[in-house]
């Protein structure tokens, strides 16, 4: 087993612990500056539609930027807290 594989497994385990979810739950993540050009709102919209087809999953968006407030409002709108 390569070191990178071990690090990814450890990172996933840590994330699952922080989100208080099982290791089998799919997690989609995005990390970066929250800027309009990155279109993170599309990830939120996709999560809104996906939840009707995949009952258990999580989306984690990590970052700071001028789109944060817009994303938070969109998350509330779709009840994706």
């Amino acid at each position: 087993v390569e070191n990178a594989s071990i690090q990814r497994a450890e990172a996933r385990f840590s994330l699952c612990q922080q989100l208080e979810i099982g290791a089998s739950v799919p997690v989609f993540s995005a990390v970066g500056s929250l800027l309009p050009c990155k279109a993170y709102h599309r990830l939120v919209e996709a999560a809104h539609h996906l939840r009707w087809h995949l009952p258990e999953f999580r989306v984690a968006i990590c970052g700071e930027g001028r789109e944060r407030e817009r994303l938070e409002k969109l998350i509330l709108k779709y009840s994706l807290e």
Side-chain angles (χ1 to χ4, degrees), residues 4-77:
S5 297
I6 294 170
Q7 290 174 345
R8 282 193 299 271
E10 289 174 355
R12 173 153 175 81
F13 180 74
S14 175
L15 180 62
C16 289
Q17 282 185 317
Q18 290 176 32
L19 295 175
E20 298 179 357
I21 60 172
S24 64
V25 175
V27 178
F28 304 93
S29 62
V31 179
S33 298
L34 304 179
L35 300 173
C37 64
K38 302 241 178 151
Y40 286 118
H41 68 281
R42 299 236 187 247
L43 180 56
V44 175
E45 291 167 354
H48 170 63
H49 294 288
L50 183 61
R51 72 176 167 183
W52 306 113
H53 304 284
L54 184 64
E56 191 173 9
F57 70 94
R58 297 294 185 276
V59 174
I61 301 174
C62 305
E64 291 293 333
R66 61 181 196 243
E67 283 289 283
R68 184 182 178 111
E69 185 177 339
R70 176 183 177 203
L71 292 170
E72 288 175 344
K73 287 179 181 178
L74 197 57
I75 289 166
L76 286 173
K77 175 183 174 183

